mmCIF file with all atom_site columns, all heavy atoms in Angstrom:
data_model
loop_
_atom_site.group_PDB
_atom_site.id
_atom_site.type_symbol
_atom_site.label_atom_id
_atom_site.label_alt_id
_atom_site.label_comp_id
_atom_site.label_asym_id
_atom_site.label_entity_id
_atom_site.label_seq_id
_atom_site.pdbx_PDB_ins_code
_atom_site.Cartn_x
_atom_site.Cartn_y
_atom_site.Cartn_z
_atom_site.occupancy
_atom_site.B_iso_or_equiv
_atom_site.pdbx_formal_charge
_atom_site.auth_seq_id
_atom_site.auth_comp_id
_atom_site.auth_asym_id
_atom_site.auth_atom_id
_atom_site.pdbx_PDB_model_num
ATOM 1   N N   . ALA I 1 152 ? 137.805 16.555 87.741 1.00 46.00 ? 158 ALA I N   1
ATOM 2   C CA  . ALA I 1 152 ? 138.588 17.595 88.348 1.00 46.00 ? 158 ALA I CA  1
ATOM 3   C C   . ALA I 1 152 ? 138.377 18.969 87.681 1.00 46.00 ? 158 ALA I C   1
ATOM 4   O O   . ALA I 1 152 ? 138.373 19.992 88.312 1.00 46.00 ? 158 ALA I O   1
ATOM 5   C CB  . ALA I 1 152 ? 140.032 17.190 88.243 1.00 46.00 ? 158 ALA I CB  1
ATOM 6   N N   . PHE I 1 153 ? 138.193 18.976 86.416 1.00 57.00 ? 159 PHE I N   1
ATOM 7   C CA  . PHE I 1 153 ? 137.963 20.271 85.645 1.00 57.00 ? 159 PHE I CA  1
ATOM 8   C C   . PHE I 1 153 ? 136.474 20.422 85.499 1.00 57.00 ? 159 PHE I C   1
ATOM 9   O O   . PHE I 1 153 ? 135.858 21.271 86.113 1.00 57.00 ? 159 PHE I O   1
ATOM 10  C CB  . PHE I 1 153 ? 138.635 20.229 84.303 1.00 57.00 ? 159 PHE I CB  1
ATOM 11  C CG  . PHE I 1 153 ? 140.177 20.331 84.412 1.00 57.00 ? 159 PHE I CG  1
ATOM 12  C CD1 . PHE I 1 153 ? 140.913 19.673 83.455 1.00 57.00 ? 159 PHE I CD1 1
ATOM 13  C CD2 . PHE I 1 153 ? 140.711 21.065 85.390 1.00 57.00 ? 159 PHE I CD2 1
ATOM 14  C CE1 . PHE I 1 153 ? 142.347 19.779 83.568 1.00 57.00 ? 159 PHE I CE1 1
ATOM 15  C CE2 . PHE I 1 153 ? 142.121 21.131 85.512 1.00 57.00 ? 159 PHE I CE2 1
ATOM 16  C CZ  . PHE I 1 153 ? 142.933 20.551 84.661 1.00 57.00 ? 159 PHE I CZ  1
ATOM 17  N N   . GLY I 1 154 ? 135.856 19.636 84.672 1.00 58.00 ? 160 GLY I N   1
ATOM 18  C CA  . GLY I 1 154 ? 134.422 19.727 84.446 1.00 58.00 ? 160 GLY I CA  1
ATOM 19  C C   . GLY I 1 154 ? 133.955 20.770 83.406 1.00 58.00 ? 160 GLY I C   1
ATOM 20  O O   . GLY I 1 154 ? 132.897 20.712 82.893 1.00 58.00 ? 160 GLY I O   1
ATOM 21  N N   . ASP I 1 155 ? 134.849 21.782 83.134 1.00 77.00 ? 161 ASP I N   1
ATOM 22  C CA  . ASP I 1 155 ? 134.550 22.876 82.238 1.00 77.00 ? 161 ASP I CA  1
ATOM 23  C C   . ASP I 1 155 ? 135.851 23.644 82.087 1.00 77.00 ? 161 ASP I C   1
ATOM 24  O O   . ASP I 1 155 ? 136.727 23.523 82.890 1.00 77.00 ? 161 ASP I O   1
ATOM 25  C CB  . ASP I 1 155 ? 133.439 23.764 82.689 1.00 77.00 ? 161 ASP I CB  1
ATOM 26  C CG  . ASP I 1 155 ? 133.675 24.277 84.076 1.00 77.00 ? 161 ASP I CG  1
ATOM 27  O OD1 . ASP I 1 155 ? 134.415 25.219 84.214 1.00 77.00 ? 161 ASP I OD1 1
ATOM 28  O OD2 . ASP I 1 155 ? 133.277 23.677 85.073 1.00 77.00 ? 161 ASP I OD2 1
ATOM 29  N N   . ASN I 1 156 ? 135.871 24.553 81.058 1.00 86.00 ? 162 ASN I N   1
ATOM 30  C CA  . ASN I 1 156 ? 137.064 25.254 80.875 1.00 86.00 ? 162 ASN I CA  1
ATOM 31  C C   . ASN I 1 156 ? 137.215 26.524 81.770 1.00 86.00 ? 162 ASN I C   1
ATOM 32  O O   . ASN I 1 156 ? 138.215 27.168 81.712 1.00 86.00 ? 162 ASN I O   1
ATOM 33  C CB  . ASN I 1 156 ? 137.108 25.752 79.392 1.00 86.00 ? 162 ASN I CB  1
ATOM 34  C CG  . ASN I 1 156 ? 137.747 24.467 78.528 1.00 86.00 ? 162 ASN I CG  1
ATOM 35  O OD1 . ASN I 1 156 ? 138.264 23.598 79.087 1.00 86.00 ? 162 ASN I OD1 1
ATOM 36  N ND2 . ASN I 1 156 ? 137.601 24.732 77.229 1.00 86.00 ? 162 ASN I ND2 1
ATOM 37  N N   . ASP I 1 157 ? 136.145 26.866 82.550 1.00 92.00 ? 163 ASP I N   1
ATOM 38  C CA  . ASP I 1 157 ? 136.302 27.912 83.522 1.00 92.00 ? 163 ASP I CA  1
ATOM 39  C C   . ASP I 1 157 ? 137.248 27.360 84.660 1.00 92.00 ? 163 ASP I C   1
ATOM 40  O O   . ASP I 1 157 ? 138.258 28.111 84.992 1.00 92.00 ? 163 ASP I O   1
ATOM 41  C CB  . ASP I 1 157 ? 134.940 28.288 84.217 1.00 92.00 ? 163 ASP I CB  1
ATOM 42  C CG  . ASP I 1 157 ? 133.996 28.942 83.214 1.00 92.00 ? 163 ASP I CG  1
ATOM 43  O OD1 . ASP I 1 157 ? 134.420 29.635 82.277 1.00 92.00 ? 163 ASP I OD1 1
ATOM 44  O OD2 . ASP I 1 157 ? 132.736 28.697 83.321 1.00 92.00 ? 163 ASP I OD2 1
ATOM 45  N N   . THR I 1 158 ? 137.006 26.185 85.072 1.00 90.00 ? 164 THR I N   1
ATOM 46  C CA  . THR I 1 158 ? 137.837 25.618 86.057 1.00 90.00 ? 164 THR I CA  1
ATOM 47  C C   . THR I 1 158 ? 139.198 25.310 85.579 1.00 90.00 ? 164 THR I C   1
ATOM 48  O O   . THR I 1 158 ? 140.221 25.538 86.209 1.00 90.00 ? 164 THR I O   1
ATOM 49  C CB  . THR I 1 158 ? 137.234 24.284 86.620 1.00 90.00 ? 164 THR I CB  1
ATOM 50  O OG1 . THR I 1 158 ? 135.876 24.566 87.044 1.00 90.00 ? 164 THR I OG1 1
ATOM 51  C CG2 . THR I 1 158 ? 137.991 23.791 87.844 1.00 90.00 ? 164 THR I CG2 1
ATOM 52  N N   . LEU I 1 159 ? 139.340 24.829 84.295 1.00 91.00 ? 165 LEU I N   1
ATOM 53  C CA  . LEU I 1 159 ? 140.558 24.608 83.675 1.00 91.00 ? 165 LEU I CA  1
ATOM 54  C C   . LEU I 1 159 ? 141.374 25.886 83.593 1.00 91.00 ? 165 LEU I C   1
ATOM 55  O O   . LEU I 1 159 ? 142.615 25.901 83.857 1.00 91.00 ? 165 LEU I O   1
ATOM 56  C CB  . LEU I 1 159 ? 140.401 23.992 82.258 1.00 91.00 ? 165 LEU I CB  1
ATOM 57  C CG  . LEU I 1 159 ? 141.569 23.952 81.329 1.00 91.00 ? 165 LEU I CG  1
ATOM 58  C CD1 . LEU I 1 159 ? 142.622 22.957 81.938 1.00 91.00 ? 165 LEU I CD1 1
ATOM 59  C CD2 . LEU I 1 159 ? 141.239 23.466 79.954 1.00 91.00 ? 165 LEU I CD2 1
ATOM 60  N N   . SER I 1 160 ? 140.794 26.993 83.246 1.00 95.00 ? 166 SER I N   1
ATOM 61  C CA  . SER I 1 160 ? 141.494 28.248 83.076 1.00 95.00 ? 166 SER I CA  1
ATOM 62  C C   . SER I 1 160 ? 142.051 28.689 84.451 1.00 95.00 ? 166 SER I C   1
ATOM 63  O O   . SER I 1 160 ? 143.106 29.262 84.528 1.00 95.00 ? 166 SER I O   1
ATOM 64  C CB  . SER I 1 160 ? 140.624 29.308 82.433 1.00 95.00 ? 166 SER I CB  1
ATOM 65  O OG  . SER I 1 160 ? 139.502 29.632 83.267 1.00 95.00 ? 166 SER I OG  1
ATOM 66  N N   . ALA I 1 161 ? 141.279 28.480 85.488 1.00 95.00 ? 167 ALA I N   1
ATOM 67  C CA  . ALA I 1 161 ? 141.729 28.832 86.862 1.00 95.00 ? 167 ALA I CA  1
ATOM 68  C C   . ALA I 1 161 ? 142.943 28.020 87.220 1.00 95.00 ? 167 ALA I C   1
ATOM 69  O O   . ALA I 1 161 ? 143.918 28.487 87.791 1.00 95.00 ? 167 ALA I O   1
ATOM 70  C CB  . ALA I 1 161 ? 140.627 28.646 87.848 1.00 95.00 ? 167 ALA I CB  1
ATOM 71  N N   . ALA I 1 162 ? 142.876 26.653 86.840 1.00 94.00 ? 168 ALA I N   1
ATOM 72  C CA  . ALA I 1 162 ? 144.014 25.792 87.136 1.00 94.00 ? 168 ALA I CA  1
ATOM 73  C C   . ALA I 1 162 ? 145.248 26.273 86.404 1.00 94.00 ? 168 ALA I C   1
ATOM 74  O O   . ALA I 1 162 ? 146.353 26.268 86.833 1.00 94.00 ? 168 ALA I O   1
ATOM 75  C CB  . ALA I 1 162 ? 143.678 24.328 86.771 1.00 94.00 ? 168 ALA I CB  1
ATOM 76  N N   . VAL I 1 163 ? 145.042 26.718 85.121 1.00 96.00 ? 169 VAL I N   1
ATOM 77  C CA  . VAL I 1 163 ? 146.217 27.246 84.335 1.00 96.00 ? 169 VAL I CA  1
ATOM 78  C C   . VAL I 1 163 ? 146.754 28.507 84.875 1.00 96.00 ? 169 VAL I C   1
ATOM 79  O O   . VAL I 1 163 ? 147.967 28.668 84.949 1.00 96.00 ? 169 VAL I O   1
ATOM 80  C CB  . VAL I 1 163 ? 145.716 27.479 82.831 1.00 96.00 ? 169 VAL I CB  1
ATOM 81  C CG1 . VAL I 1 163 ? 146.765 28.193 82.135 1.00 96.00 ? 169 VAL I CG1 1
ATOM 82  C CG2 . VAL I 1 163 ? 145.498 26.090 82.238 1.00 96.00 ? 169 VAL I CG2 1
ATOM 83  N N   . ALA I 1 164 ? 145.873 29.354 85.371 1.00 97.00 ? 170 ALA I N   1
ATOM 84  C CA  . ALA I 1 164 ? 146.350 30.618 85.981 1.00 97.00 ? 170 ALA I CA  1
ATOM 85  C C   . ALA I 1 164 ? 147.189 30.349 87.171 1.00 97.00 ? 170 ALA I C   1
ATOM 86  O O   . ALA I 1 164 ? 148.241 31.050 87.415 1.00 97.00 ? 170 ALA I O   1
ATOM 87  C CB  . ALA I 1 164 ? 145.138 31.487 86.365 1.00 97.00 ? 170 ALA I CB  1
ATOM 88  N N   . VAL I 1 165 ? 146.791 29.425 88.077 1.00 96.00 ? 171 VAL I N   1
ATOM 89  C CA  . VAL I 1 165 ? 147.589 29.060 89.216 1.00 96.00 ? 171 VAL I CA  1
ATOM 90  C C   . VAL I 1 165 ? 148.846 28.371 88.822 1.00 96.00 ? 171 VAL I C   1
ATOM 91  O O   . VAL I 1 165 ? 150.003 28.693 89.370 1.00 96.00 ? 171 VAL I O   1
ATOM 92  C CB  . VAL I 1 165 ? 146.715 28.097 90.114 1.00 96.00 ? 171 VAL I CB  1
ATOM 93  C CG1 . VAL I 1 165 ? 147.580 27.649 91.313 1.00 96.00 ? 171 VAL I CG1 1
ATOM 94  C CG2 . VAL I 1 165 ? 145.493 28.902 90.677 1.00 96.00 ? 171 VAL I CG2 1
ATOM 95  N N   . LEU I 1 166 ? 148.755 27.436 87.882 1.00 95.00 ? 172 LEU I N   1
ATOM 96  C CA  . LEU I 1 166 ? 149.852 26.701 87.375 1.00 95.00 ? 172 LEU I CA  1
ATOM 97  C C   . LEU I 1 166 ? 151.040 27.612 86.838 1.00 95.00 ? 172 LEU I C   1
ATOM 98  O O   . LEU I 1 166 ? 152.182 27.390 87.065 1.00 95.00 ? 172 LEU I O   1
ATOM 99  C CB  . LEU I 1 166 ? 149.493 25.733 86.295 1.00 95.00 ? 172 LEU I CB  1
ATOM 100 C CG  . LEU I 1 166 ? 150.492 24.688 85.826 1.00 95.00 ? 172 LEU I CG  1
ATOM 101 C CD1 . LEU I 1 166 ? 150.754 23.603 86.856 1.00 95.00 ? 172 LEU I CD1 1
ATOM 102 C CD2 . LEU I 1 166 ? 149.997 24.013 84.531 1.00 95.00 ? 172 LEU I CD2 1
ATOM 103 N N   . THR I 1 167 ? 150.617 28.667 86.162 1.00 97.00 ? 173 THR I N   1
ATOM 104 C CA  . THR I 1 167 ? 151.596 29.568 85.515 1.00 97.00 ? 173 THR I CA  1
ATOM 105 C C   . THR I 1 167 ? 151.912 30.834 86.287 1.00 97.00 ? 173 THR I C   1
ATOM 106 O O   . THR I 1 167 ? 152.717 31.638 85.869 1.00 97.00 ? 173 THR I O   1
ATOM 107 C CB  . THR I 1 167 ? 151.054 29.961 84.097 1.00 97.00 ? 173 THR I CB  1
ATOM 108 O OG1 . THR I 1 167 ? 149.825 30.662 84.247 1.00 97.00 ? 173 THR I OG1 1
ATOM 109 C CG2 . THR I 1 167 ? 150.837 28.767 83.269 1.00 97.00 ? 173 THR I CG2 1
ATOM 110 N N   . GLY I 1 168 ? 151.306 30.995 87.457 1.00 97.00 ? 174 GLY I N   1
ATOM 111 C CA  . GLY I 1 168 ? 151.539 32.099 88.339 1.00 97.00 ? 174 GLY I CA  1
ATOM 112 C C   . GLY I 1 168 ? 151.114 33.452 87.675 1.00 97.00 ? 174 GLY I C   1
ATOM 113 O O   . GLY I 1 168 ? 151.724 34.452 87.745 1.00 97.00 ? 174 GLY I O   1
ATOM 114 N N   . ALA I 1 169 ? 149.895 33.351 86.976 1.00 97.00 ? 175 ALA I N   1
ATOM 115 C CA  . ALA I 1 169 ? 149.356 34.595 86.403 1.00 97.00 ? 175 ALA I CA  1
ATOM 116 C C   . ALA I 1 169 ? 148.958 35.652 87.336 1.00 97.00 ? 175 ALA I C   1
ATOM 117 O O   . ALA I 1 169 ? 148.760 35.323 88.540 1.00 97.00 ? 175 ALA I O   1
ATOM 118 C CB  . ALA I 1 169 ? 148.129 34.161 85.504 1.00 97.00 ? 175 ALA I CB  1
ATOM 119 N N   . ASP I 1 170 ? 148.801 36.904 86.888 1.00 96.00 ? 176 ASP I N   1
ATOM 120 C CA  . ASP I 1 170 ? 148.381 37.980 87.726 1.00 96.00 ? 176 ASP I CA  1
ATOM 121 C C   . ASP I 1 170 ? 146.852 38.092 87.638 1.00 96.00 ? 176 ASP I C   1
ATOM 122 O O   . ASP I 1 170 ? 146.254 38.552 88.597 1.00 96.00 ? 176 ASP I O   1
ATOM 123 C CB  . ASP I 1 170 ? 149.005 39.287 87.363 1.00 96.00 ? 176 ASP I CB  1
ATOM 124 C CG  . ASP I 1 170 ? 150.496 39.186 87.308 1.00 96.00 ? 176 ASP I CG  1
ATOM 125 O OD1 . ASP I 1 170 ? 151.025 38.945 88.442 1.00 96.00 ? 176 ASP I OD1 1
ATOM 126 O OD2 . ASP I 1 170 ? 151.153 39.420 86.284 1.00 96.00 ? 176 ASP I OD2 1
ATOM 127 N N   . LEU I 1 171 ? 146.304 37.762 86.460 1.00 98.00 ? 177 LEU I N   1
ATOM 128 C CA  . LEU I 1 171 ? 144.916 38.033 86.190 1.00 98.00 ? 177 LEU I CA  1
ATOM 129 C C   . LEU I 1 171 ? 144.371 36.891 85.273 1.00 98.00 ? 177 LEU I C   1
ATOM 130 O O   . LEU I 1 171 ? 144.899 36.536 84.289 1.00 98.00 ? 177 LEU I O   1
ATOM 131 C CB  . LEU I 1 171 ? 144.742 39.362 85.530 1.00 98.00 ? 177 LEU I CB  1
ATOM 132 C CG  . LEU I 1 171 ? 143.289 39.794 85.111 1.00 98.00 ? 177 LEU I CG  1
ATOM 133 C CD1 . LEU I 1 171 ? 142.342 39.893 86.310 1.00 98.00 ? 177 LEU I CD1 1
ATOM 134 C CD2 . LEU I 1 171 ? 143.326 41.061 84.315 1.00 98.00 ? 177 LEU I CD2 1
ATOM 135 N N   . LEU I 1 172 ? 143.099 36.413 85.640 1.00 98.00 ? 178 LEU I N   1
ATOM 136 C CA  . LEU I 1 172 ? 142.408 35.577 84.789 1.00 98.00 ? 178 LEU I CA  1
ATOM 137 C C   . LEU I 1 172 ? 141.113 36.266 84.314 1.00 98.00 ? 178 LEU I C   1
ATOM 138 O O   . LEU I 1 172 ? 140.411 36.935 85.099 1.00 98.00 ? 178 LEU I O   1
ATOM 139 C CB  . LEU I 1 172 ? 141.975 34.303 85.492 1.00 98.00 ? 178 LEU I CB  1
ATOM 140 C CG  . LEU I 1 172 ? 140.900 33.380 84.881 1.00 98.00 ? 178 LEU I CG  1
ATOM 141 C CD1 . LEU I 1 172 ? 141.399 32.778 83.596 1.00 98.00 ? 178 LEU I CD1 1
ATOM 142 C CD2 . LEU I 1 172 ? 140.444 32.265 85.870 1.00 98.00 ? 178 LEU I CD2 1
ATOM 143 N N   . VAL I 1 173 ? 140.861 36.315 82.985 1.00 98.00 ? 179 VAL I N   1
ATOM 144 C CA  . VAL I 1 173 ? 139.716 36.889 82.354 1.00 98.00 ? 179 VAL I CA  1
ATOM 145 C C   . VAL I 1 173 ? 138.834 35.845 81.699 1.00 98.00 ? 179 VAL I C   1
ATOM 146 O O   . VAL I 1 173 ? 139.256 35.073 80.874 1.00 98.00 ? 179 VAL I O   1
ATOM 147 C CB  . VAL I 1 173 ? 140.041 37.987 81.354 1.00 98.00 ? 179 VAL I CB  1
ATOM 148 C CG1 . VAL I 1 173 ? 138.779 38.608 80.807 1.00 98.00 ? 179 VAL I CG1 1
ATOM 149 C CG2 . VAL I 1 173 ? 140.925 39.065 82.009 1.00 98.00 ? 179 VAL I CG2 1
ATOM 150 N N   . LEU I 1 174 ? 137.548 35.806 82.223 1.00 97.00 ? 180 LEU I N   1
ATOM 151 C CA  . LEU I 1 174 ? 136.570 34.803 81.588 1.00 97.00 ? 180 LEU I CA  1
ATOM 152 C C   . LEU I 1 174 ? 135.708 35.699 80.616 1.00 97.00 ? 180 LEU I C   1
ATOM 153 O O   . LEU I 1 174 ? 134.862 36.417 81.107 1.00 97.00 ? 180 LEU I O   1
ATOM 154 C CB  . LEU I 1 174 ? 135.776 34.067 82.666 1.00 97.00 ? 180 LEU I CB  1
ATOM 155 C CG  . LEU I 1 174 ? 136.532 33.309 83.759 1.00 97.00 ? 180 LEU I CG  1
ATOM 156 C CD1 . LEU I 1 174 ? 135.541 32.649 84.674 1.00 97.00 ? 180 LEU I CD1 1
ATOM 157 C CD2 . LEU I 1 174 ? 137.478 32.314 83.184 1.00 97.00 ? 180 LEU I CD2 1
ATOM 158 N N   . LEU I 1 175 ? 135.880 35.475 79.383 1.00 96.00 ? 181 LEU I N   1
ATOM 159 C CA  . LEU I 1 175 ? 134.967 36.133 78.408 1.00 96.00 ? 181 LEU I CA  1
ATOM 160 C C   . LEU I 1 175 ? 133.749 35.142 78.194 1.00 96.00 ? 181 LEU I C   1
ATOM 161 O O   . LEU I 1 175 ? 133.916 34.028 77.786 1.00 96.00 ? 181 LEU I O   1
ATOM 162 C CB  . LEU I 1 175 ? 135.641 36.357 77.027 1.00 96.00 ? 181 LEU I CB  1
ATOM 163 C CG  . LEU I 1 175 ? 136.729 37.416 77.135 1.00 96.00 ? 181 LEU I CG  1
ATOM 164 C CD1 . LEU I 1 175 ? 137.344 37.689 75.798 1.00 96.00 ? 181 LEU I CD1 1
ATOM 165 C CD2 . LEU I 1 175 ? 136.319 38.740 77.767 1.00 96.00 ? 181 LEU I CD2 1
ATOM 166 N N   . SER I 1 176 ? 132.548 35.713 78.368 1.00 90.00 ? 182 SER I N   1
ATOM 167 C CA  . SER I 1 176 ? 131.326 34.888 78.410 1.00 90.00 ? 182 SER I CA  1
ATOM 168 C C   . SER I 1 176 ? 130.255 35.526 77.642 1.00 90.00 ? 182 SER I C   1
ATOM 169 O O   . SER I 1 176 ? 130.439 36.506 76.986 1.00 90.00 ? 182 SER I O   1
ATOM 170 C CB  . SER I 1 176 ? 130.983 34.615 79.857 1.00 90.00 ? 182 SER I CB  1
ATOM 171 O OG  . SER I 1 176 ? 129.860 33.794 79.989 1.00 90.00 ? 182 SER I OG  1
ATOM 172 N N   . ASP I 1 177 ? 129.035 34.922 77.699 1.00 87.00 ? 183 ASP I N   1
ATOM 173 C CA  . ASP I 1 177 ? 127.916 35.509 77.061 1.00 87.00 ? 183 ASP I CA  1
ATOM 174 C C   . ASP I 1 177 ? 127.082 36.364 78.045 1.00 87.00 ? 183 ASP I C   1
ATOM 175 O O   . ASP I 1 177 ? 125.954 36.663 77.827 1.00 87.00 ? 183 ASP I O   1
ATOM 176 C CB  . ASP I 1 177 ? 127.006 34.418 76.489 1.00 87.00 ? 183 ASP I CB  1
ATOM 177 C CG  . ASP I 1 177 ? 126.529 33.483 77.460 1.00 87.00 ? 183 ASP I CG  1
ATOM 178 O OD1 . ASP I 1 177 ? 126.999 33.429 78.679 1.00 87.00 ? 183 ASP I OD1 1
ATOM 179 O OD2 . ASP I 1 177 ? 125.624 32.526 77.138 1.00 87.00 ? 183 ASP I OD2 1
ATOM 180 N N   . ILE I 1 178 ? 127.710 36.684 79.172 1.00 88.00 ? 184 ILE I N   1
ATOM 181 C CA  . ILE I 1 178 ? 127.088 37.492 80.176 1.00 88.00 ? 184 ILE I CA  1
ATOM 182 C C   . ILE I 1 178 ? 128.126 38.554 80.604 1.00 88.00 ? 184 ILE I C   1
ATOM 183 O O   . ILE I 1 178 ? 129.359 38.337 80.584 1.00 88.00 ? 184 ILE I O   1
ATOM 184 C CB  . ILE I 1 178 ? 126.637 36.586 81.375 1.00 88.00 ? 184 ILE I CB  1
ATOM 185 C CG1 . ILE I 1 178 ? 125.767 37.404 82.318 1.00 88.00 ? 184 ILE I CG1 1
ATOM 186 C CG2 . ILE I 1 178 ? 127.850 36.065 82.108 1.00 88.00 ? 184 ILE I CG2 1
ATOM 187 C CD1 . ILE I 1 178 ? 125.100 36.550 83.324 1.00 88.00 ? 184 ILE I CD1 1
ATOM 188 N N   . ASP I 1 179 ? 127.631 39.758 81.002 1.00 92.00 ? 185 ASP I N   1
ATOM 189 C CA  . ASP I 1 179 ? 128.490 40.901 81.284 1.00 92.00 ? 185 ASP I CA  1
ATOM 190 C C   . ASP I 1 179 ? 129.240 40.765 82.672 1.00 92.00 ? 185 ASP I C   1
ATOM 191 O O   . ASP I 1 179 ? 130.120 41.516 82.928 1.00 92.00 ? 185 ASP I O   1
ATOM 192 C CB  . ASP I 1 179 ? 127.701 42.106 81.315 1.00 92.00 ? 185 ASP I CB  1
ATOM 193 C CG  . ASP I 1 179 ? 127.128 42.514 79.949 1.00 92.00 ? 185 ASP I CG  1
ATOM 194 O OD1 . ASP I 1 179 ? 127.790 42.109 78.927 1.00 92.00 ? 185 ASP I OD1 1
ATOM 195 O OD2 . ASP I 1 179 ? 126.100 43.227 79.837 1.00 92.00 ? 185 ASP I OD2 1
ATOM 196 N N   . GLY I 1 180 ? 128.857 39.867 83.471 1.00 94.00 ? 186 GLY I N   1
ATOM 197 C CA  . GLY I 1 180 ? 129.455 39.655 84.812 1.00 94.00 ? 186 GLY I CA  1
ATOM 198 C C   . GLY I 1 180 ? 128.519 38.966 85.733 1.00 94.00 ? 186 GLY I C   1
ATOM 199 O O   . GLY I 1 180 ? 127.528 38.288 85.346 1.00 94.00 ? 186 GLY I O   1
ATOM 200 N N   . LEU I 1 181 ? 128.733 39.142 87.087 1.00 94.00 ? 187 LEU I N   1
ATOM 201 C CA  . LEU I 1 181 ? 127.889 38.537 88.029 1.00 94.00 ? 187 LEU I CA  1
ATOM 202 C C   . LEU I 1 181 ? 126.770 39.590 88.401 1.00 94.00 ? 187 LEU I C   1
ATOM 203 O O   . LEU I 1 181 ? 127.052 40.736 88.690 1.00 94.00 ? 187 LEU I O   1
ATOM 204 C CB  . LEU I 1 181 ? 128.717 38.150 89.381 1.00 94.00 ? 187 LEU I CB  1
ATOM 205 C CG  . LEU I 1 181 ? 127.907 37.640 90.488 1.00 94.00 ? 187 LEU I CG  1
ATOM 206 C CD1 . LEU I 1 181 ? 127.299 36.276 90.130 1.00 94.00 ? 187 LEU I CD1 1
ATOM 207 C CD2 . LEU I 1 181 ? 128.790 37.511 91.764 1.00 94.00 ? 187 LEU I CD2 1
#
Side-chain angles (χ1 to χ4, degrees):
F159 289 146
D161 55 80
N162 278 349
D163 294 327
T164 309
L165 171 62
S166 64
V169 169
V171 173
L172 187 72
T173 60
D176 305 299
L177 175 64
L178 168 63
V179 179
L180 305 182
L181 293 183
S182 180
D183 60 351
I184 193 170
D185 293 333
L187 178 66

